[in-house]
Amino acid sequence: MTGPRRPGRVLADLWLGARMAVTGGRDGWTRAALTALGVGIGVAMLLLAAAVPGALDARAVRNEARNDTGWRPEKVAAANTLLIALADTEFRDRSVRGRIVRAEGPAAPVPPGLTRLPGAGEVVVSPALRDLLDSPDGPLFAPRLGGARVAGTIGAQGLAGPGELAFYLGSADLTDEWAVRRDQFGGGEPGEEFSPVLMVLVVVVVVVLLLPIVVFVGAAVRFGGDRRDRRLAALRLLGADTAMVRRIAAGEAAAGAVFGLAVGGVLFAAGRQLAPLVTLRDISVYASDLRPAPTLVAAVAVVVPVLAVLVALVALRRVVVEPLGVSRQGPAVRRRLWWRLLLPAAGLALLYPLTDVGEGRSDTPDYQVAAGAVLLLVGTVTLLPWLVDLAVRRLRGGPVPWQLAVRRLQLDSATSARLVSGVAVAVAGSIGLQMLVAGVEAQFTTRTGQDTSRAQAFVTFDDVPDPDAALARLAAAPGVARSAGTSTTIAIGSDVSQAATLRIGDCATLAEYARLGPCADGDVFLAQPPAGEQQLTGFGPGDRVTVSGSETAWTLPRRLRTVPAIPDPAGWTSAGLLVTPGAADAAWTGLRAQALLSLDAADPDALERVRNAAAEVDVRARVMALDEERQATQFVNVKRGLVVGVAVTLLLLGASMLVGVLEQLRERRRLLAMLAAVGTPRRTLGLSVLWQAAVPVLVGLGLAVAFGLGLGAVLLRMVGAPVSMSWPVVGLGAALGGGVVLLVTGASLPALWRLTRPEGLRAE
């Protein structure tokens, strides 16, 4: 079977290996199917990752096509213009995109996704919003549409995604005072560039989400590895040389990978049809958006078989060196530690010098960050088998299930370690990432100055005929515990270069804006900004001022008192005139109504009812939920992507692990059936399977925590943030990984009960 290497001989050996992947009767086909399924799940995940950039680009293109907020040259009313006003709102933490439109001519532009502009009293809604209106929660949102009749739905080209809540509301009385004029949709300001710190975060997110998938694909290729090694060892003993055995192994691994590519393509094609049904953190995509770039598909099609072949060749050392020991299932050679430490050491060597990213540099070598993170995390894969072997080597005694599990691990711990390695990498990466996110969060978080202990919502009406009635409607809304409503306009001082806010309200309400001291109806106050800021002039006692809107002159009373302005609950310090109702002039018109609202903490929908009450007065009313701090949009999007990505990765890794556990049980079905036949209780066998999974998991999670903390510390050092350990984050990451493995073990029990039937003793 030896001889010179000829192209025909090489192809024949590769073809022999491919045939061995599927021969062997039912057992061989089952092994091939499990390998293809395991690799296929990994391929589907890689294709999904490859499709994400295209899906985000498709969302961005649709957003740009419908954009109506970017700067445009001022237009005059014409046959091809329309007026459009913002009516954005929220519903239970979900954003709702709202627009009020009025055509000014027969050729007015129509937004993407609409066949015509809605008329007065009509509204066109997105399919997701239509579903919401038809649900039991519909009555809680419907008032924000002003009683309009739903006249149609927005098409896909007019929505960011299938789960987006959006509407276009027609109006007959919209004016250019509170709206903008457009003659086309589309275009907008260029997107904000990522900061160096965010770029580091994005690079590491990509590595952390993709690397566990690659690790598991490598593990899936080794399904049935023991039997494969014994077959190859038999060929070696029959006279096959080292090169021939390697070629046969390469052909067998490549065949399994090709089957996996086909299965992965089918799984991805089926899964993308379900994509429109899923909305994660306000993000949804159409099935047509999930189209991986051809170059990325080609990369997956090349990398997966190459990875499979490399894994198979690396695993051939014992087969080539000591085939008799493999054939007899002799004891494995003790694993060496020194080379397993080289990869994480190399990763640290690449990452540690990058300590100035947080100082504003934009030339951060992203490839170096990615390579360092990959090498560091791969260290968990190389170290895990050595640690599991070390942990179980001297274990003795204990209950019967424990002894069965330990003995199996002592005979072959590598297979269990391979199954856990993907989860260990995912947990280590998520811990490091969460540490980085927590460490840099302060850089992307700003204090708003809002005081939620004084009020929880701020409402503004820009143009209402009766501000007092609007404020009374808000105060009477269910869930409102206290309302501090004012009417505002602008006053021009005797020094015409000075303008100040004129605010009308009772004493208790005006006390939210300044330290008034004694106050009674009929008083007028001049609230001056803090010392050091420019003071208001032209608003002294007896000065004549002009009230904007009504353009009436008003003489300030002689008893005008100057008081210091203070920040209101919304975080603004507004210097100006504070007027009690008894001193206000009934001739003042064009007043804006504003209200600071304290909500009933026992009513979870209090804010929704406030939004409804405001919309019933004016659909364009702005309702702002007060919050003491806010985070940058880009940072929030990256965090959102991290949460979604980690959840999907762990879910699919769990499915892949289940395939691996089923393959292990199938390999040992005769042994399990024999144990059951001699009277071993099923409970004992089930617990032994659990312990056999739990020991590598505990070792893997401990290793993952150590490497995750190390990765997090290095990343924090890179971005110039203080290194701190977040133990709740560590505990959550470890708990998620452990929970996935427990679920997988529980899901494998039905297969265990089936394999322990007497039929499992039959052999051919």
Side-chain angles (χ1 to χ4, degrees):
M1 298 178 70
T2 62
R5 183 182 302 176
R6 298 186 301 274
R9 179 73 267 169
V10 171
L11 293 177
D13 292 341
L14 292 174
W15 177 244
L16 175 60
R19 287 164 53 199
M20 288 177 63
V22 295
T23 54
R26 178 180 177 183
D27 184 72
W29 278 108
T30 303
R31 180 177 63 252
L34 288 174
T35 300
L37 181 58
V39 175
I41 293 175
V43 169
M45 294 166 69
L46 290 174
L47 292 176
L48 175 63
V52 168
L56 296 179
D57 287 343
R59 286 173 57 92
V61 168
R62 291 194 294 269
N63 273 325
E64 184 177 357
R66 70 179 183 180
N67 182 62
D68 51 31
T69 58
W71 182 85
R72 297 285 191 282
E74 189 171 341
K75 301 285 183 180
V76 296
N80 66 335
T81 61
L82 86 160
L83 294 175
I84 187 166
L86 301 182
D88 294 339
T89 182
E90 291 185 9
F91 184 76
R92 291 180 175 166
D93 296 328
R94 291 189 64 186
S95 299
V96 182
R97 184 181 189 270
R99 297 294 186 266
I100 306 172
V101 295
R102 181 174 74 85
E104 293 186 301
V110 178
L114 274 67
T115 56
R116 66 176 181 87
L117 289 172
E122 293 182 336
V123 64
V124 179
V125 300
S126 66
L129 185 54
R130 178 187 283 274
D131 292 341
L132 173 62
L133 292 172
D134 293 338
S135 73
D137 290 331
L140 191 59
F141 182 85
R144 281 170 240 184
L145 301 179
R149 177 181 62 87
V150 176
T153 56
I154 305 173
Q157 63 270 32
L159 298 171
E164 184 181 29
L165 303 177
F167 66 87
Y168 288 93
L169 178 63
S171 172
D173 54 3
L174 191 65
T175 65
D176 59 4
E177 183 179 3
W178 303 108
V180 294
R181 184 172 283 113
R182 291 281 184 268
D183 60 359
Q184 65 177 1
F185 288 87
E189 303 294 330
E192 182 183 356
E193 293 186 359
F194 278 83
S195 69
V197 174
L198 273 182
M199 186 56 67
V200 170
L201 186 56
V202 170
V203 170
V204 180
V205 166
V206 172
V207 169
V208 167
L209 296 184
L210 292 185
L211 187 57
I213 302 171
V214 176
V215 169
F216 186 83
V217 169
V221 173
R222 291 287 297 158
F223 284 175
D226 291 343
R227 293 198 177 192
R228 182 184 299 115
D229 290 349
R230 290 196 294 274
R231 289 197 308 272
L232 293 173
L235 291 175
R236 184 85 172 97
L237 292 172
L238 288 173
D241 61 12
T242 300
M244 182 178 180
V245 170
R246 288 197 172 106
R247 291 194 295 271
I248 294 173
E252 188 171 1
V258 170
F259 290 145
L261 287 174
V263 172
V266 172
L267 291 177
F268 175 75
R272 72 195 290 258
Q273 301 304 317
L274 303 177
L277 304 178
V278 180
T279 299
L280 296 172
R281 304 293 292 268
D282 262 0
I283 295 179
S284 60
V285 295
Y286 291 100
S288 58
D289 294 339
L290 293 174
R291 291 183 296 181
T295 53
L296 295 178
V297 174
V300 171
V302 171
V303 168
V304 170
V306 169
L307 176 65
V309 171
L310 289 177
V311 169
L313 295 180
V314 169
L316 280 180
R317 186 171 63 89
R318 285 194 66 217
V319 173
V320 172
V321 174
E322 47 177 10
L324 189 59
V326 172
S327 182
R328 291 178 173 175
Q329 295 181 277
V333 178
R334 181 167 296 182
R335 296 178 172 86
R336 299 183 183 276
L337 176 63
W338 65 269
W339 69 267
R340 301 174 187 273
L341 298 175
L342 293 180
L343 293 179
L348 286 174
L350 286 174
L351 292 176
Y352 192 77
L354 304 177
T355 58
D356 54 357
V357 179
E359 297 174 6
R361 285 184 51 182
S362 59
D363 58 345
T364 305
D366 296 335
Y367 65 88
Q368 188 171 344
V369 176
V374 166
L375 290 174
L376 187 60
L377 292 175
V378 167
T380 60
V381 180
T382 59
L383 275 172
L384 185 57
W386 183 86
L387 279 177
V388 173
D389 187 47
L390 179 66
V392 303
R393 190 181 304 159
R394 291 183 173 85
L395 292 177
R396 297 288 185 275
V400 174
W402 172 259
Q403 293 186 45
L404 289 174
V406 167
R407 186 56 183 153
R408 180 62 194 177
L409 289 172
Q410 289 172 341
L411 291 174
D412 179 21
S413 61
T415 303
S416 298
R418 282 197 297 267
L419 290 178
V420 177
S421 58
V423 174
V425 171
V427 171
S430 65
I431 289 174
L433 269 177
Q434 294 290 357
M435 284 181 61
L436 177 60
V437 168
V440 302
E441 196 164 16
Q443 299 182 29
F444 300 95
T445 303
T446 56
R447 301 287 298 181
T448 63
Q450 297 172 355
D451 188 351
T452 56
S453 65
R454 296 164 58 192
Q456 292 80 51
F458 178 68
V459 183
T460 301
F461 298 99
D462 287 328
D463 183 22
V464 289
D466 189 347
D468 291 337
L471 295 174
R473 175 68 186 88
L474 278 182
V480 174
R482 176 178 174 270
S483 175
T486 60
S487 301
T488 65
T489 185
I490 301 297
I492 309 299
S494 57
D495 179 356
V496 294
S497 64
Q498 286 279 12
T501 301
L502 187 152
R503 187 179 303 276
I504 306 169
D506 58 34
C507 291
T509 298
L510 297 181
E512 299 284 357
Y513 301 91
R515 295 190 182 92
L516 301 181
C519 176
D521 192 21
D523 288 346
V524 178
F525 304 89
L526 175 63
Q528 287 284 14
E533 298 183 15
Q534 184 177 359
Q535 302 294 297
L536 294 175
T537 60
F539 295 95
D543 287 345
R544 292 183 63 81
V545 300
T546 302
V547 179
S548 180
S550 57
E551 304 302 329
T552 58
W554 181 47
T555 302
L556 296 178
R558 295 289 179 182
R559 295 178 54 193
L560 178 71
R561 291 189 2 235
T562 300
V563 295
I566 61 173
D568 61 34
W572 298 306
T573 302
S574 54
L577 295 169
L578 304 178
V579 182
T580 55
D585 191 336
W588 294 342
T589 58
L591 300 177
R592 300 172 65 188
Q594 296 179 345
L596 293 163
L597 304 178
S598 297
L599 306 180
D600 183 2
D603 185 355
D605 291 326
L607 185 59
E608 303 303 327
R609 303 183 203 283
V610 167
R611 291 186 175 119
N612 290 345
E616 289 171 355
V617 176
D618 185 358
V619 178
R620 296 165 299 168
R622 298 192 299 275
V623 180
M624 180 176 67
L626 302 187
D627 200 345
E628 295 183 356
E629 58 184 28
R630 297 227 168 92
Q631 292 182 338
T633 302
Q634 286 185 338
F635 182 72
V636 172
N637 290 337
V638 171
K639 282 208 312 181
R640 181 182 300 167
L642 171 61
V643 171
V644 172
V646 169
V648 173
T649 300
L650 284 176
L651 180 65
L652 294 180
L653 277 178
S656 303
M657 277 193 63
L658 179 59
V659 176
V661 171
L662 294 178
E663 191 273 341
Q664 277 191 296
L665 294 176
R666 188 189 63 84
E667 287 283 319
R668 302 197 303 275
R669 63 185 182 277
R670 290 193 65 200
L671 175 60
L672 294 171
M674 289 174 61
L675 288 172
V678 298
T680 306
R682 285 186 172 186
R683 179 175 178 274
T684 299
L685 295 176
L687 288 176
S688 71
V689 172
L690 176 61
W691 282 119
Q692 188 178 331
V695 172
V697 166
L698 292 175
V699 175
L701 291 180
L703 187 65
V705 168
F707 274 75
L709 292 176
L711 176 63
V714 173
L715 293 176
L716 289 172
R717 174 70 181 263
M718 284 172 50
V719 300
V723 177
S724 60
M725 306 299 178
S726 178
W727 295 113
V729 167
V730 173
L732 178 61
L736 287 175
V740 167
V741 176
L742 287 176
L743 288 175
V744 167
T745 305
S748 67
L749 292 180
L752 174 64
W753 306 150
R754 183 175 57 82
L755 292 173
T756 54
R757 294 172 182 170
E759 290 82 359
L761 294 173
R762 182 181 302 164
E764 298 179 4

